[in-house]
Amino acid sequence: MKGSEAIIESLKAAGVEVVFGLPGGMVIPLYDALYDSDLKHFLVRHEQGAAHMADGYARATGKVGVCIATSGPGATNLVTGIANAYMDSTPMVAITGQARSDLIGTDAFQEADITGITEPIVKHSYLIKNPKDIPRIFKEAFYIASTGRPGPVLIDIPADMQLADIDYKPAGKINLPGYKPTLKGHKKQIISAAKAIAAAEKPVFYAGGGIITAGAEKELLAIAKLMKIPVTTTLMGLGCFPEDNDLSLGMLGMHGTGYANYAVTHSDLLIGVGARFDDRVTGKLATFARHAKKIHIDMDPAEISKNVAIDIPIVGDAKDVLAGILAELKKMKREPKKTAAWTDQVIAWKKKHPLHYKDEKGSIMPQYVIEEINRITKSEAILCTDVGQHQMWSALFYKHIKPRHWVSSGGLGTMGFGFPAAIGAKVGCPDKTVIDVAGDGSFQMNIQELATAVCYNIPVVVCILNNGFLGMVRQWQELFWNKRYSETVIACQPDFAAVAEAYGALGITIDNKKDVGDAIRTAIKSKRPAVLDFRVKQEENVFPMVPAGKSIDEMIGGHKT
Amino acid sequence: MKHTLSVLVENKPGVLARVAGLFARRGFNINSLAVGITEDPDVSRMTITVDAEEHPIEQVTKQLHKLINVIKITDLDPERTVARELALIKVKSDTKSRAEVMQLAEIFRAQILDVSRKTITIEITGTYEKLDAFEQLLQPHGVVEIVRTGRIAIERGEK
Ligand SMILES: Cc1ncc(C[n+]2csc(CCOP(=O)(O)OP(=O)(O)O)c2C)c(N)n1
């Protein structure tokens, strides 16, 4: 069989059903084999879209997302999407065509050293030099992408490898002597963690995306309930703990809730799980959770004590480790009252410093749009976002109650991510309502994927919070740069509803608060790709906010006074 | 503090680039890096000396471990390690100073590889410190060119 057919067989063996991509000279053989296969291929309009779709698909489903691009410019167009997946630990396999192997290194037409270019942003990569290796390499790639701390794996395939005739044999057992992720937590450490939790008077869970990757939500909830421990999540962790639970503190960090940041600051035990003590979370390191003993549970040993010194480190799968801790706690004699004063205090903070915004007559407040989306979808939608103010409002004002219902670019903060990611999420979860909250700036970074959504009738609803600015940057300029709005006014704005209609999608412009709910309902009911252009208040800010370099309890704004 | 890491890696294309790239982008300082094959043709050994002033060595090794092709890392204990480096040094030397340079080489148990009218080329192996000391002594004669391999190291004893 041909190398290209072996690729299709290998994809099927890995359980792949859908791929996102765009062909070119160096992947024609692969696309030719795809033509006869029953893999579903989605043709994108820009390869960055393909990478983000694969990413969104992976986040929403938990499966590995797959994208394909041709060599050179096709491959380099994937780069932002690969980096994005790397920073947020999304399982992804990116397949790129490459110039014929005898031309590699000669600056051949459309040759780019994509394994070199992506080296710092992949979990691993391959350049196929022998077509016989195809089954093995694909098997390894999917295994590496989806196990341990997940991440993107790139496979670069010269055109002649796709054309070569091989004697196809399915891949044998995986043999990777240098890759052995630790799944089971160390028993002794688990016992120390359980003891520390039982002894704590002011414990807080700090839960990250790793909980969702591991599927450890139930274990987290069980420990939190058993020991009455409040839970704050990172941006990536939204949905891993139901925000309608009393013990939920929402998100922490730079734009975290006041009560989450106070709780962390005053805690005597911080239990970090699947979270990486990112600088957007910790603020000034020296004062972060300064009174707390720290437990850190993570799949990736390199994350432990990377930024913050840890007292009880546990390397392993969050589900396994939390289950172990829960079992230990159940064996112990507990004093359930021990944290009562603390939970009372936390609930008092929640009442005293709730999330808040000032509703202005005559304006559509961006926060209100998010609240409406939340009401109409009953907190059940898969909510995707781009990057900026609208992202933070979506994080704060939507109630996140389920895992894999929040798809947002955390680590890299990629404008242009949300819309293609929403398409990928909808492809993976056709029965769920998928909403993309976008900024007017961000949406224009991958607006061309409207064609993809329309072409395959993928009914995602884009809600643009149109403030006429690169809002988040404008907010920093307002607060810290004397309102010098250098290049953050988006002066030339298209009529987004008309653009949507031109692509064949539904487009609605909303200027009045009273029309917000109707527009959202209409768009969802239409079962078509839709763009809602909400003309929101222009100079609204995201609060609370911790200025860069400050301690997280030194927030500005956002308090009800 | 300088550390000597002995790193076993799969003998596959691109591994050296991955290791070197990791050091560069994480801001770890490499002092020297020497690579060669081992008794197992599928495995190469890298001896890497790093300055672990700003980044704890633990972080360096953990990040290295994340590379799929890295099989094993040992942070060699200087007390239990034999380490060597090789240098080739070309030094100015005419008929007048030739005897002195050759005498220095003898004291350091270095080998003369080549003599020309105006230069002598010397091979020396030893510890980093020994090579430095030798180089210092040759400086007044005028060192024309130095090539050093970087450190290679192996644990003492039966392991
Ligand atoms: C690709 C990319 N370029 C630049 C930035 C820097 N950046 C962060 S937020 C932001 C403004 C986003 O504006 P918009 O999408 O309109 O959203 P808003 O903040 O107004 O809600 C910019 C430019 C980025 N995150 N990503």
Side-chain angles (χ1 to χ4, degrees):
Chain A
M1 114 182 8
K2 290 241 177 326
S4 54
E5 292 164 320
I7 296 172
I8 303 289
E9 287 307 312
S10 306
L11 289 173
K12 285 203 272 192
V16 174
E17 287 160 6
V18 299
V19 292
F20 304 91
L22 193 145
M26 297 304 128
V27 280
I28 292 180
L30 174 56
Y31 271 85
D32 190 66
L34 202 57
Y35 198 60
D36 294 326
S37 79
D38 39 17
L39 288 182
K40 181 98 187 87
H41 179 273
F42 291 87
L43 174 66
V44 297
R45 295 301 183 268
H46 185 301
E47 291 88 349
Q48 187 187 349
H52 291 328
M53 285 177 206
D55 188 330
Y57 174 88
R59 291 184 205 224
T61 63
K63 299 180 200 162
V64 179
V66 181
C67 54
I68 306 178
T70 191
S71 66
T76 55
N77 271 353
L78 290 180
V79 169
T80 302
I82 294 172
N84 187 75
Y86 182 73
M87 290 294 275
D88 287 346
S89 308
T90 311
M92 184 162 121
V93 170
I95 303 168
T96 50
Q98 180 55 279
R100 265 192 357 245
S101 41
D102 58 317
L103 293 178
I104 288 179
T106 65
D107 303 316
F109 178 63
Q110 292 194 333
E111 182 194 353
D113 172 15
I114 196 64
T115 49
I117 290 169
T118 56
E119 201 277 317
I121 50 166
V122 292
K123 188 169 169 188
H124 194 55
S125 59
Y126 295 91
L127 169 61
I128 295 188
K129 291 193 163 160
N130 184 339
K132 275 202 244 122
D133 293 337
I134 289 172
R136 172 183 62 82
I137 286 177
F138 271 80
K139 186 165 182 183
E140 285 178 10
F142 278 86
Y143 177 67
I144 292 169
S146 60
T147 52
R149 178 177 183 172
V153 176
L154 179 117
I155 309 178
D156 198 26
I157 315 178
D160 53 323
M161 298 293 127
Q162 302 167 38
L163 287 166
D165 270 314
I166 63 162
D167 193 5
Y168 176 80
K169 273 194 230 77
K173 257 196 147 167
I174 287 173
N175 175 24
L176 293 165
Y179 181 66
K180 303 248 167 354
T182 309
L183 299 178
K184 289 230 167 300
H186 194 280
K187 183 84 191 173
K188 261 200 196 139
Q189 297 296 82
I190 287 178
I191 294 172
S192 329
K195 281 188 183 148
I197 291 172
E201 286 173 12
K202 302 174 181 177
V204 175
F205 265 114
Y206 150 48
I211 299 259
I212 295 167
T213 306
E217 307 84 19
K218 283 207 188 82
E219 289 76 8
L220 174 67
L221 183 65
I223 299 179
K225 273 189 176 163
L226 180 72
M227 305 303 292
K228 300 271 178 298
I229 303 174
V231 180
T232 174
T233 74
T234 65
L235 182 79
M236 293 302 297
L238 290 175
C240 78
F241 189 82
E243 290 186 354
D244 48 8
N245 189 302
D246 267 356
L247 292 166
S248 166
L249 300 175
M251 186 170 78
L252 81 165
M254 179 176 274
H255 287 298
T257 65
Y259 35 96
N261 288 348
Y262 292 136
V264 168
T265 304
H266 294 277
S267 64
D268 66 354
L269 178 71
L270 185 73
I271 315 156
V273 193
R276 58 191 178 88
F277 294 82
D278 178 75
D279 53 289
R280 280 289 189 269
V281 158
T282 61
K284 190 168 153 192
L285 276 175
T287 55
F288 178 69
R290 54 189 172 275
H291 311 296
K293 190 172 191 168
K294 296 173 191 83
I295 300 175
H296 190 187
I297 300 164
D298 205 285
M299 193 71 234
D300 181 354
E303 287 304 338
I304 291 177
S305 295
K306 184 177 82 177
N307 300 336
V308 170
I310 299 301
D311 302 287
I312 307 177
I314 311 180
V315 177
D317 178 72
K319 189 177 175 77
D320 177 80
V321 174
L322 289 181
I325 292 176
L326 181 63
E328 289 302 323
L329 288 169
K330 281 184 176 162
K331 279 194 245 162
M332 287 177 195
K333 256 208 273 170
R334 299 189 312 277
E335 298 166 59
K337 286 252 153 66
K338 201 162 207 170
T339 61
W342 175 237
T343 41
D344 286 351
Q345 165 77 81
V346 167
I347 288 166
W349 276 327
K350 271 174 94 162
K351 287 217 177 91
K352 187 157 173 230
H353 311 287
L355 280 175
H356 171 72
Y357 66 93
K358 227 173 52 227
D359 207 354
E360 277 175 36
K361 278 236 154 54
S363 291
I364 303 179
M365 299 307 287
Q367 299 93 331
Y368 171 76
V369 178
I370 308 294
E371 288 173 337
E372 275 293 274
I373 296 172
N374 185 47
R375 268 190 287 273
I376 291 165
T377 63
K378 304 195 176 65
S379 316
E380 298 265 334
I382 296 183
L383 193 67
C384 307
T385 78
D386 262 302
V387 171
Q389 294 183 310
H390 62 278
Q391 176 188 31
M392 291 304 141
W393 285 317
S394 302
L396 295 169
F397 288 90
Y398 193 86
K399 260 208 185 347
H400 305 275
I401 55 171
K402 284 185 179 171
R404 300 203 178 280
H405 280 62
W406 168 251
V407 176
S408 187
S409 169
L412 196 66
T414 311
M415 287 171 74
F417 169 77
F419 179 45
I423 293 175
K426 183 73 185 177
V427 165
C429 305
D431 300 333
K432 298 211 167 110
T433 303
V434 177
I435 308 262
D436 171 39
V437 179
D440 43 329
S442 294
F443 186 52
Q444 292 184 74
M445 289 210 174
N446 274 315
I447 195 167
Q448 75 288 345
E449 298 310 327
L450 272 169
T452 308
V454 169
C455 198
Y456 297 98
N457 194 24
I458 304 167
V460 299
V461 178
V462 180
C463 298
I464 305 175
L465 303 188
N466 186 346
N467 53 15
F469 282 106
L470 295 169
M472 187 57 100
V473 183
R474 184 209 56 75
Q475 172 168 343
W476 283 57
Q477 289 171 333
E478 177 188 329
L479 298 175
F480 311 114
W481 297 88
N482 228 347
K483 287 202 176 191
R484 288 158 55 84
Y485 292 164
S486 176
E487 304 299 327
T488 47
V489 186
I490 311 180
C492 283
Q493 203 69 296
D495 175 341
F496 285 109
V499 170
E501 294 285 341
Y503 271 107
L506 173 68
I508 307 174
T509 308
I510 302 96
D511 290 306
N512 259 309
K513 184 178 172 183
K514 66 173 177 28
D515 300 328
V516 170
D518 275 347
I520 297 168
R521 274 185 288 266
T522 306
I524 293 174
K525 265 198 216 116
S526 78
K527 301 217 181 309
R528 290 168 58 197
V531 176
L532 306 180
D533 182 10
F534 294 100
R535 305 291 173 84
V536 298
K537 188 193 162 201
Q538 293 207 307
E539 291 183 60
E540 178 65 1
N541 289 334
V542 182
F543 288 128
M545 176 179 196
V546 178
K550 294 273 188 193
S551 304
I552 58 169
D553 58 339
E554 296 179 87
M555 287 160 284
I556 51 172
H559 284 177
K560 214 169 190 160
T561 40
Chain B
M1 241 279 265
K2 275 210 184 66
H3 286 259
T4 305
L5 301 179
S6 182
V7 184
L8 283 181
V9 299
E10 286 184 87
N11 191 3
K12 286 198 172 145
V15 178
L16 176 60
R18 282 189 186 132
V19 170
L22 180 120
F23 275 81
R25 73 171 174 275
R26 295 264 172 201
F28 305 148
N29 270 329
I30 303 190
N31 286 95
S32 80
L33 193 163
V35 202
I37 51 163
T38 62
E39 62 285 354
D40 178 349
D42 293 334
V43 174
S44 299
R45 185 183 296 280
M46 296 186 179
T47 308
I48 307 173
T49 54
V50 285
D51 226 333
E53 297 279 287
E54 276 161 51
H55 292 85
I57 193 69
E58 195 181 302
Q59 184 56 211
V60 177
T61 56
K62 282 172 168 179
Q63 292 295 348
L64 257 183
H65 247 308
K66 284 170 66 165
L67 298 178
I68 307 289
N69 299 128
V70 170
I71 303 168
K72 188 167 182 245
I73 303 169
T74 320
D75 182 5
L76 294 173
D77 173 358
E79 307 269 289
R80 303 204 21 83
T81 303
V82 194
R84 287 288 178 274
E85 192 171 324
L86 169 78
L88 300 177
I89 305 174
K90 186 178 287 181
V91 61
K92 279 193 192 141
S93 171
D94 51 23
T95 38
K96 265 191 280 164
S97 65
R98 190 168 292 157
E100 194 188 332
V101 170
M102 288 171 81
Q103 204 182 356
L104 281 175
E106 199 173 326
I107 295 168
F108 277 79
R109 294 205 193 113
Q111 304 259 9
I112 309 291
L113 296 183
D114 184 50
V115 181
S116 72
R117 269 196 314 129
K118 289 189 181 150
T119 62
I120 296 184
T121 302
I122 305 168
E123 168 196 323
I124 178 167
T125 58
T127 60
Y128 183 84
E129 293 75 15
K130 176 178 164 185
L131 268 56
D132 273 3
F134 186 55
E135 190 190 319
Q136 291 284 314
L137 285 171
L138 292 179
Q139 277 307 348
H141 293 276
V143 172
V144 184
E145 203 178 337
I146 297 184
V147 192
R148 289 173 73 153
T149 58
R151 182 183 302 180
I152 58 168
I154 198 163
E155 265 177 298
R156 287 181 193 278
E158 282 156 33
K159 260 211 293 179

